[in-house]
Amino acid sequence: MIQGRFHMDDFSVYRPELTVPIADIISNAVQCGYPLETDEAYYRERGYETVAVERHLSMEEMAERALEPVAERCKREGIEIGEIWFAHTSQVAWHECNLFKTMLLRWGWEQVPLYPVEEHSCSTFHWFLHMAAYSFARDPDKAVLVVTADLGIHPFYYINDFILSGDSASACLLRREYGDHRTLAVKYKTAGKVYDNNPSRLRHFHATFYMSIRKIMQETLSEAGFTFSDIRLVVCGNTNRQIWETVAGSLRISPDMFYYATLNEAGHITNADIPSNLWRALADGALLPGDYYLTVTVGMAGTFGCALHQYVPTNRLGVPAKEEGKP
């Protein structure tokens, strides 16, 4: 398997300014017929307080808000894009290939290959990192642009029995030789046994997936010759607090190493969890130049992703002044 090193050179997140109390998210879903088996306290125990909800912009407009600062920099610095990948959880079906038509024209990318990829559950971010090595093996001189957008089209979108999801969009620029975040190792796995929908196997997965997260984190560090004592943070997805506390216990490391600072205010912003939390870690000084850190995601459909990175900022200012959409 190709595991070439590359960099996350830039990223941007659009998150709606509006945050809705989880009591309202639950109430809206129940009024539409959602068969709730828990209560508000259940979600609060897992770290949720409010959820980011977009009331005005379309999914295309959200994607453009996230993409704009990255695209402007590419234009300004002459960074050539080799491929654009797009992922979403919203149902846009037949017109998804045309989703970027106006943006491609705006930035002069009409000839750049655009790939709307299948949603890889909540570990899509690490699927992108896993596949990037192949893209750079083909053409190391061109960047890969990753764009995501997730917009709820029904109250059921925002809730399930495990998590509360919010709206968001993100853009991430990957380059072979340049960038503030050097990616040293990537692991991505799928638990195929989940997809046969066998009830007993599903129960077994939900009882044991914590150990799969533990294993993929250990394998990622081992591949690079690292241990947990070498890293500063584990930047993870906003699945829920209980998951990461359980994993920390299984690894015998402090739960404080697991960083998901946007969980309580935004909810699980599916494809933007990692860039959003990474952005916050940089803004808050939780990551410093030279620090090594892990990113990790898990999807309840049986996907797991983990990567080892090092923060190696260049002279270019690496942290935007604010998250788009935030006051």
Side-chain angles (χ1 to χ4, degrees):
M1 182 172 63
I2 299 173
Q3 288 285 7
R5 296 180 179 182
F6 55 90
H7 296 73
M8 292 188 291
D9 188 34
D10 206 353
F11 53 89
S12 174
V13 176
Y14 171 78
R15 208 181 79 198
E17 184 174 348
L18 175 65
T19 55
V20 177
I22 63 172
D24 294 343
I25 296 293
I26 295 169
S27 175
N28 291 340
V30 170
Q31 288 178 19
C32 290
Y34 184 80
L36 187 67
E37 297 181 359
T38 57
D39 56 16
E40 181 181 341
Y42 170 87
Y43 294 102
R44 288 196 179 277
E45 289 173 0
R46 283 152 180 78
Y48 298 99
E49 295 179 13
T50 59
V51 171
V53 176
E54 180 56 58
R55 298 292 194 202
H56 304 291
L57 301 183
S58 67
M59 188 166 66
E60 294 91 333
E61 291 169 328
M62 289 169 57
E64 188 161 11
R65 289 282 186 92
L67 176 59
E68 188 169 25
V70 177
E72 287 279 8
R73 180 175 164 236
C74 289
K75 180 179 179 180
R76 184 172 63 250
E77 299 182 12
I79 299 172
E80 188 174 3
I81 305 298
E83 298 175 355
I84 301 173
W85 301 339
F86 173 65
H88 61 90
T89 53
S90 305
Q91 299 297 313
V92 292
W94 60 270
H95 74 275
E96 65 181 2
C97 289
N98 294 321
L99 184 66
F100 281 88
K101 187 173 182 179
T102 57
M103 284 179 271
L104 295 177
L105 289 170
R106 176 181 176 184
W107 305 110
W109 291 336
E110 300 96 316
Q111 303 306 315
V112 176
L114 170 64
Y115 302 111
V117 304
E118 289 291 335
E119 179 70 21
H120 287 255
S121 188
C122 303
S123 290
T124 301
F125 177 84
H126 285 99
W127 182 88
F128 284 137
L129 296 185
H130 171 73
M131 295 303 294
Y134 297 93
S135 297
F136 292 128
R138 291 193 301 269
D139 195 339
D141 296 324
K142 292 183 180 179
V144 173
L145 183 60
V146 175
V147 183
T148 75
D150 297 294
L151 177 63
I153 58 175
H154 189 279
F156 284 12
Y157 167 86
Y158 297 98
I159 187 171
N160 66 32
D161 293 341
F162 302 97
I163 57 178
L164 295 176
S165 298
D167 298 326
S168 66
S170 68
C172 184
L173 185 69
L174 306 178
R175 300 177 75 187
R176 180 69 178 87
E177 299 292 343
Y178 308 98
D180 290 350
H181 300 267
R182 186 165 60 114
T183 299
L184 303 170
V186 179
K187 293 286 184 181
Y188 178 82
K189 294 184 177 181
T190 301
K193 62 184 179 183
V194 176
Y195 293 109
D196 63 9
N197 208 31
N198 180 287
S200 64
R201 291 184 178 180
L202 285 170
R203 285 195 299 271
H204 181 263
F205 168 77
H206 287 295
T208 61
F209 73 89
Y210 303 97
M211 302 310 293
S212 295
I213 302 173
R214 177 180 184 267
K215 183 178 180 181
I216 199 171
M217 292 172 67
Q218 291 174 323
E219 289 177 346
T220 303
L221 288 173
S222 178
E223 179 177 298
F226 278 59
T227 67
F228 281 101
S229 63
D230 297 312
I231 65 171
R232 173 64 66 91
L233 282 183
V234 179
V235 179
C236 45
N238 292 347
T239 38
N240 70 59
R241 180 172 60 203
Q242 184 185 56
I243 289 177
W244 304 122
E245 289 179 348
T246 302
V247 173
S250 72
L251 290 165
R252 298 183 179 180
I253 61 177
S254 171
D256 293 338
M257 286 189 68
F258 287 77
Y259 190 90
Y260 42 91
T262 64
L263 166 64
N264 66 329
E265 58 194 45
H268 176 42
I269 45 178
T270 311
N271 288 304
D273 277 350
I274 296 298
S276 182
N277 283 326
L278 182 55
W279 202 344
R280 184 66 61 84
L282 296 173
D284 291 347
L287 274 179
L288 301 175
D291 283 346
Y292 292 93
Y293 65 95
L294 287 177
T295 54
V296 62
T297 51
V298 56
M300 293 298 103
T303 58
F304 306 90
C306 186
L308 173 65
H309 315 269
Q310 184 183 22
Y311 180 39
V312 286
T314 61
N315 291 331
R316 181 179 61 85
L317 185 62
V319 183
K322 68 179 182 68
E323 289 177 284
E324 177 66 35
K326 298 292 290 179

